[in-house]
Amino acid sequence: MMIVGFDVCHDSQQKNLSFGTLVSTMNDAYTSYFSCVEPHESGEELSVHFATGISKALAKYRTKNGALPTSIIVHRDGVGEGQISHVHKTEVRLLQTACEHFYGKSSVPLAFVIVTQRIRTRFFALSNRGPENPLPGTIIDSVVTDPTKFLFGITTCKTGYCNSYTLSSH
């Protein structure tokens, strides 16, 4: 299995520079990695260059292991709520096309997890000291989530406002 992380970062000094960054695992022990950076159009958060990075990672994986991964999980960070449809229509399709190039018509099992950004929802746990942040790893997957989507929230740290809200679209 290959685990892939992808995000777009923006140069804080030169606002017109953006880069798509990809890192992927290269072995089943998840101890060897491949990474690449692709330049983007000015301020572009959504990537049409995503397939280029995936193709490079798959080629490197095949060279290193003599075979392609049996499945792929992509963790796509930094997507705004209004961009989810575009990511699904563009980046997921590009991923599928890149995989078809390597695997042929018999595709590989894929999971594409989108982590949304700027979520203002906060969760608190009740304690004898009053409300406080939930323990790291707390999963919120019912009651306050949208039942028509595969939504879940997970807390990543204990101090401050450290709640991440994650959306799995595939």
Side-chain angles (χ1 to χ4, degrees), residues 122-125 131-135 155 157-163:
R122 300 291 180 242
F123 298 101
F124 297 95
E132 57 185 33
N133 283 333
L135 293 173
T155 57
C157 61
K158 182 83 171 115
T159 60
Y161 291 104
C162 296
N163 291 308

Side-chain angles (χ1 to χ4, degrees), residues 26-162:
M26 289 285 114
N27 61 15
D28 289 338
Y30 314 117
T31 57
S32 177
Y33 307 96
F34 168 82
S35 64
C36 64
V37 176
E38 298 289 334
H40 282 232
E41 297 297 319
S42 174
E44 180 184 46
E45 181 67 43
L46 303 171
S47 179
V48 295
H49 309 290
F50 180 63
T52 305
I54 288 290
S55 294
K56 288 178 181 179
L58 287 170
K60 184 71 169 181
Y61 191 101
R62 181 172 54 196
T63 299
K64 186 173 176 99
N65 298 290
L68 292 167
T70 56
S71 59
I72 301 171
I73 297 174
V74 176
H75 183 272
R76 174 60 164 98
D77 195 16
V79 178
E81 194 68 31
Q83 300 168 318
I84 292 172
S85 177
H86 179 81
V87 167
H88 185 265
K89 290 176 185 170
T90 304
E91 292 181 7
V92 173
R93 183 183 48 78
L94 291 171
L95 171 63
Q96 292 168 330
T97 301
C99 287
E100 189 173 299
H101 173 77
F102 282 88
Y103 290 89
K105 292 292 182 188
S106 62
S107 190
V108 61
L110 299 172
F112 198 97
V113 179
I114 299 173
V115 178
T116 56
Q117 60 185 8
R118 296 183 188 95
I119 300 301
R120 303 205 190 305
T121 304
R122 300 291 180 242
F123 298 101
F124 297 95
L126 296 177
S127 74
N128 57 356
R129 294 181 303 267
E132 57 185 33
N133 283 333
L135 293 173
T138 299
I139 296 174
I140 297 96
D141 62 355
S142 62
V143 182
V144 297
T145 57
D146 184 343
T148 64
K149 297 178 181 177
F150 299 107
L151 293 172
F152 66 93
I154 186 166
T155 57
T156 55
C157 61
K158 182 83 171 115
T159 60
Y161 291 104
C162 296

